[in-house]
Amino acid sequence: MAGKKQFDMDTALDAAMIQFWRAGYAATSVDDLSRATGLNRSSIYSSLGDKDTLFLRCLDRYAARYGDRYDAALSCAASEPLAAVRAFFGVTLERIADPELPDGCLIAQSAMAIPVLSPAVAAHAKQALGSQRLRLRAALKAGRLADQDVDAFAEHVAAVNQSLAVMSRAGASPEQLLAVVGVTVDALSQTLHATRRV
């Protein structure tokens, strides 16, 4: 049919997301995106937007896809906060272990690239990081962590989660990543026990 787009939007966005994830924003050119999606430059601009617009769409896509998984992992936080945090980290570790996906985390990479991002894209990357802290804060509060510890642990767990992605890109083994998670979960366990003794 005349005028009908001859590509699947979801497939193209996934391909663009993987390209940004693998190479980072600064190292990805429109020609790279063209090769990744199979679309010519004019089709990218007309259907997906300029590089910044497409990157924002990819960030949103990534945040929604993994955000839903993090939310599901944390859904038991009120009754089992430690299991919830372990499951939260499990989402990241499973993603890292998937051979079909690039190493690292698109949001963590974007945060590290903030100095070279446009103000709008930098703000979006910061918002994505902030969403993870808010998600953790709500879960830890539901898990009856003391108010003075909620913010600190939300920041800490979010930071550890991002560092797992960075470590994986640097070649850390699954055992090393699990050891890092174990230290965080142990610290949270001790804090929860101390809170409940008070």
Side-chain angles (χ1 to χ4, degrees):
M1 258 173 80
K4 184 179 179 189
K5 287 183 173 60
Q6 297 299 311
F7 69 94
D8 180 77
M9 182 69 77
D10 287 336
T11 300
L13 285 171
D14 276 345
M17 181 179 74
I18 293 292
Q19 173 60 40
F20 281 126
W21 187 352
R22 182 172 288 119
Y25 172 86
T28 294
S29 67
V30 176
D31 286 338
D32 292 329
L33 293 166
S34 178
R35 281 188 290 275
T37 61
L39 302 173
N40 61 38
R41 290 171 68 97
S42 64
S43 293
I44 288 175
Y45 284 115
S46 64
S47 300
L48 302 174
D50 63 15
K51 182 179 169 182
D52 274 10
T53 301
L54 179 52
F55 186 62
L56 290 175
R57 292 178 74 174
C58 291
L59 264 183
D60 285 344
R61 190 172 186 80
Y62 182 95
R65 180 171 296 166
Y66 291 102
D68 287 347
R69 295 177 193 179
Y70 287 130
D71 286 339
L74 292 171
S75 63
C76 68
S79 58
E80 299 178 82
L82 288 177
V85 171
R86 276 195 204 94
F88 174 88
F89 283 128
V91 172
T92 299
L93 295 173
E94 183 180 331
R95 186 187 69 226
I96 287 169
D98 188 338
E100 299 297 312
L101 297 175
D103 289 334
C105 165
L106 182 59
I107 292 172
Q109 285 172 239
S110 303
M112 290 186 289
I114 280 173
V116 300
L117 300 178
S118 70
V121 176
H124 216 70
K126 289 177 185 176
Q127 180 184 19
L129 282 172
S131 294
Q132 190 165 90
R133 287 193 295 271
L134 290 173
R135 174 182 288 120
L136 285 161
R137 189 184 190 290
L140 292 167
K141 194 163 182 63
R144 298 178 301 283
L145 194 64
D147 286 344
Q148 68 268 23
D149 295 321
V150 166
D151 287 327
F153 267 101
E155 290 282 353
H156 180 76
V157 173
V160 170
N161 198 51
Q162 296 304 321
S163 72
L164 294 174
V166 174
M167 290 173 67
S168 76
R169 271 201 109 141
S173 69
E175 293 76 22
Q176 288 172 309
L177 300 179
L178 281 170
V180 171
V181 168
V183 170
T184 300
V185 172
D186 285 348
L188 178 58
S189 174
Q190 291 171 25
T191 303
L192 281 165
H193 286 315
T195 299
R196 286 166 186 174
R197 282 200 303 268
V198 173

